[in-house]
Amino acid sequence: MFQGGEEDDHPYVRVLETPAPERPLLARYLQPISWGGIGFASAFVFNLFARKPPLAGIQRHIALGGIGWVAGLYINKWIESNSAERDAVLKHYIQLHPEDFPVPERKKYSEILQPWSPLR
Amino acid sequence: MALHCLAAVARCCRVQPLPLSSAAAGLPAVQAALISGKTMRGGPKSWIKEPWPYKERPYRGLKSFFDTTRSRWDENTRLIVVEGPPAAGKEVVARALAEEFEMQYMPAASGDLVYINDYGYDLRQLNDKLPHKLKLLQIDDFLKNPYDSRMGSFQINWFEFKLSQYIDALAHLMNTGQGVVMNKCVLSDFVYMEAMCNAGFVSRGVRSVYREIAQQCMPFLQRPHLVVYLDIPVAEVQKRIKARARPNEVGSPALTDQFLQSLEATYKESWLKSISEHSEVLTYDVSQETIVEHMVDDIEKLNFEQYGFQTDKMSDWNRKSDDEWDACRTQYTNYKDHLMHNMLVPRFDVPELMAEQEDMKVFYELYHETAPGQKYRFGFNPSMGDSVLFKLGDGGKYRDTTKY
């Protein structure tokens, strides 16, 4: 992938590098939503311990939710970058050792099955 | 009388606290200055600094860099406690002393102070619906029936209120620099428990729990500078009780001679002995007449700064550095619950002090949920008309035990 040449052209690598379809909204924004939700909920806990009504001081709910959202974005980025690094390492390994990854020969059932006549 | 005149001359000069460097070296920050009374001074008192509005603004953290506790202290920043048997005239004397020395007066515990919440709702109205064991009691209930099994928990609740009031007194003293005169305090409350136990009003189990609670709470409190004990014999107490004829006191089965004698004995043999190791104690025989001017004269001669590090006298007031005083002040003003939580002693062996679970549920629903202004902290009750959506902070009101 980096150097260019025939070794890039392993069929497995070609398959692994086809672009993925657009993921649904919930999957893309799972981390920001989750951590934002945790932040928002923690403001309710704070009010519970401080003997205040649940929605008192809505600034706190908004601020903690916002901090959670941003934290989720950065956590998402960290997760994606870890996965990307792992994928790159595996792809490069395939490219370096193509003999360990032979493309299997496709056979038809007509070549495998033996002749049979329906007599018992 | 010569000593008295000398003291008067010394008081005419304004007293400055020593610079803070010498205070950090462990020396007392205020020079040898005696309490100055209004009459002898003859002119207005000069306050060193504006008092910190501790009832509106909290004192925490960074503020301690800008506002030192001891910068407000002068010769009148003292904690005085007036003690004595019932009907000794403690309130009259304490109010007179507070007026003379321009100190804050703190009243004795009463049902109004304990049971009226911050919104002005009297919680004693709930007594009809509360279960028997959990009714809100007052001193009148003790006087009517001292053998009631609820007297143990009543006394412990009263101790809790007195502890809260003492902490408020210390907070007032540290935040404003004004002295405080208290009418009976938490430190002597145990004499009532001892007398009640000796008279058979409460069991020894209750007394044991009470002793444990008191033992846990006391180390965090500064003992007073001065204790004024008003001494009258038991016969005179009984006479005065009959004379002032309060409806519940006359003919009360609680105020027996034996109870009052036990009270006096514990006061003198136990409380005054132990507190005199730290505080100055002045005892007055007020059976004939009460002359407050004599007490004022004696108090104005007392020198609280003469004691060093060899003795335990005044040790609660002359050993702390500025930082330690700031930390104390923070705790008493804003983290009072930490000190009140010392009362949570895990003693479950005394059945009179335990309540049934079903009763607790009823109590909780009435006291903490449905009564007006009880569900949330002060300033955050939408049912009482507070707007709460954008409100942060503490609610802006300090539980005030000085208003009576």
Side-chain angles (χ1 to χ4, degrees):
Chain A
M1 188 172 33
F2 311 98
Q3 293 91 351
E6 318 85 63
E7 62 180 37
D8 284 351
D9 203 21
H10 196 286
Y12 284 2
V13 174
R14 237 183 294 136
V15 166
L16 286 168
E17 284 185 348
T18 51
E22 177 88 358
R23 295 169 76 215
L25 214 67
L26 186 62
R28 271 185 288 151
Y29 286 101
L30 185 65
Q31 299 298 330
I33 291 173
S34 307
W35 293 98
I38 288 173
F40 187 75
S42 72
F44 287 95
V45 175
F46 187 100
N47 278 346
L48 179 71
F49 280 115
R51 277 189 76 219
K52 295 180 184 176
L55 271 179
I58 201 97
Q59 303 96 314
R60 189 173 275 123
H61 296 73
I62 296 170
L64 288 176
I67 291 171
W69 185 274
V70 171
L73 290 174
Y74 280 98
I75 288 171
N76 198 30
K77 200 183 278 217
W78 177 73
I79 294 172
E80 280 183 353
S81 112
N82 269 8
S83 305
E85 189 181 337
R86 179 200 62 205
D87 290 349
V89 166
L90 295 177
K91 274 186 233 166
H92 195 228
Y93 186 85
I94 295 173
Q95 288 166 348
L96 292 176
H97 306 273
E99 65 281 359
D100 290 334
F101 300 92
V103 181
E105 188 196 332
R106 306 295 295 267
K107 284 194 177 149
K108 294 203 180 111
Y109 269 111
S110 56
E111 296 156 30
I112 298 174
L113 295 175
Q114 293 174 347
W116 176 74
S117 51
L119 296 170
R120 304 238 175 235
Chain B
M1 289 314 285
L3 192 63
H4 188 92
C5 299
L6 256 176
V9 167
R11 272 196 309 280
C12 293
C13 325
R14 178 154 171 239
V15 173
Q16 289 279 10
L18 282 175
L20 295 176
S21 56
S22 75
L27 299 169
V30 181
Q31 293 172 359
L34 314 174
I35 294 187
S36 85
K38 227 164 47 175
T39 324
M40 280 309 298
R41 196 189 319 125
K45 179 175 161 61
S46 64
W47 297 93
I48 296 181
K49 222 172 154 181
E50 280 289 306
W52 179 271
Y54 67 101
K55 294 184 187 171
E56 288 91 39
R57 292 178 66 193
Y59 177 81
R60 285 192 278 252
L62 289 178
K63 295 204 181 84
S64 64
F65 284 114
F66 304 107
D67 192 278
T68 316
T69 308
R70 282 202 285 196
S71 60
R72 288 198 175 81
W73 288 9
D74 60 9
E75 70 274 14
N76 272 28
T77 309
R78 309 288 177 209
L79 182 60
I80 301 179
V81 173
V82 178
E83 294 279 358
K90 296 186 287 289
E91 182 172 344
V92 171
V93 167
R95 279 195 195 267
L97 289 177
E99 210 201 301
E100 175 67 25
F101 297 131
E102 283 157 309
M103 296 184 180
Q104 173 72 46
Y105 167 71
M106 296 203 92
S110 72
D112 286 338
L113 281 174
V114 179
Y115 292 127
I116 297 185
N117 77 4
D118 287 322
Y119 290 94
Y121 179 77
D122 191 346
L123 292 164
R124 288 169 289 187
Q125 297 168 34
L126 302 170
N127 261 340
D128 300 325
K129 299 181 221 143
L130 286 172
H132 173 80
K133 210 170 184 184
L134 295 165
K135 285 202 200 289
L136 303 171
L137 299 174
Q138 303 173 77
I139 296 183
D140 294 343
D141 300 288
F142 168 67
L143 293 169
K144 266 187 237 159
N145 180 15
Y147 289 98
D148 195 325
S149 61
R150 297 172 293 177
M151 285 305 127
S153 64
F154 159 71
Q155 189 66 16
I156 293 177
N157 283 337
W158 234 238
F159 175 90
E160 180 182 354
F161 175 76
K162 285 186 178 179
L163 177 65
S164 160
Q165 201 184 31
Y166 197 81
I167 296 171
D168 287 345
L170 287 170
H172 182 87
L173 196 147
M174 291 189 199
N175 278 298
T176 59
Q178 186 189 26
V180 178
V181 180
M182 294 191 78
N183 180 352
K184 288 208 306 217
C185 70
V186 68
L187 302 168
S188 70
D189 191 59
F190 76 97
V191 305
Y192 285 86
M193 180 49 88
E194 296 287 327
M196 283 163 80
C197 190
N198 290 335
F201 300 151
V202 299
S203 68
R204 293 212 289 272
V206 170
R207 184 179 65 172
S208 144
V209 171
Y210 179 96
R211 278 177 177 168
E212 197 169 330
I213 293 175
Q215 191 191 12
Q216 291 299 314
C217 297
M218 292 318 167
F220 301 93
L221 304 173
Q222 268 80 34
R223 284 164 288 182
H225 287 99
L226 170 64
V227 173
V228 176
Y229 183 74
L230 305 176
D231 189 13
I232 43 176
V234 173
E236 181 68 26
V237 174
Q238 295 281 29
K239 232 171 62 177
R240 288 191 190 186
I241 287 175
K242 276 200 189 66
R244 73 179 180 185
R246 286 194 191 159
N248 289 307
E249 282 182 354
V250 182
S252 156
L255 297 172
T256 55
D257 279 348
Q258 187 234 352
F259 177 77
L260 294 170
Q261 267 156 15
S262 171
L263 207 62
E264 185 184 337
T266 320
Y267 253 129
K268 291 182 178 162
E269 286 156 27
S270 193
W271 155 243
L272 286 180
K273 223 188 260 187
S274 68
I275 202 71
S276 63
E277 285 166 23
H278 172 270
S279 316
E280 299 277 10
V281 176
L282 291 174
T283 318
Y284 293 99
D285 185 348
V286 293
S287 46
Q288 252 50 49
E289 53 187 357
T290 311
I291 305 184
V292 179
E293 285 77 20
H294 291 176
M295 298 183 197
V296 169
D297 280 345
D298 290 337
I299 294 172
E300 285 175 343
K301 292 194 186 90
L302 291 172
N303 183 1
F304 295 102
E305 270 89 27
Q306 59 182 300
Y307 302 106
F309 294 143
Q310 275 71 38
T311 158
D312 200 29
K313 279 274 201 189
M314 299 298 142
S315 60
D316 288 348
W317 294 95
N318 65 5
R319 305 275 158 102
K320 289 189 162 58
S321 68
D322 278 337
D323 286 339
E324 287 170 335
W325 279 120
D326 290 346
C328 252
R329 179 178 160 193
T330 304
Q331 184 145 64
Y332 292 140
T333 316
N334 291 108
Y335 298 114
K336 187 166 138 181
D337 4 358
H338 296 190
L339 295 166
M340 300 299 290
H341 289 163
N342 288 323
M343 280 188 68
L344 291 170
V345 158
R347 288 286 302 266
F348 306 111
D349 49 323
V350 180
E352 300 96 82
L353 300 174
M354 311 298 294
E356 310 296 318
Q357 197 54 31
E358 293 85 359
D359 291 344
M360 286 303 295
K361 181 171 195 296
V362 173
F363 179 86
Y364 186 82
E365 251 167 74
L366 280 170
Y367 191 95
H368 287 295
E369 304 233 314
T370 51
Q374 286 288 104
K375 189 157 166 127
Y376 301 112
R377 69 197 297 151
F378 178 77
F380 284 89
N381 281 289
S383 60
M384 305 294 286
D386 299 322
S387 73
V388 135
L389 191 61
F390 294 106
K391 193 184 256 195
L392 295 168
D394 284 340
K397 186 177 175 181
Y398 184 83
R399 185 78 174 92
D400 196 349
T401 47
T402 64
K403 57 178 190 290
Y404 289 87

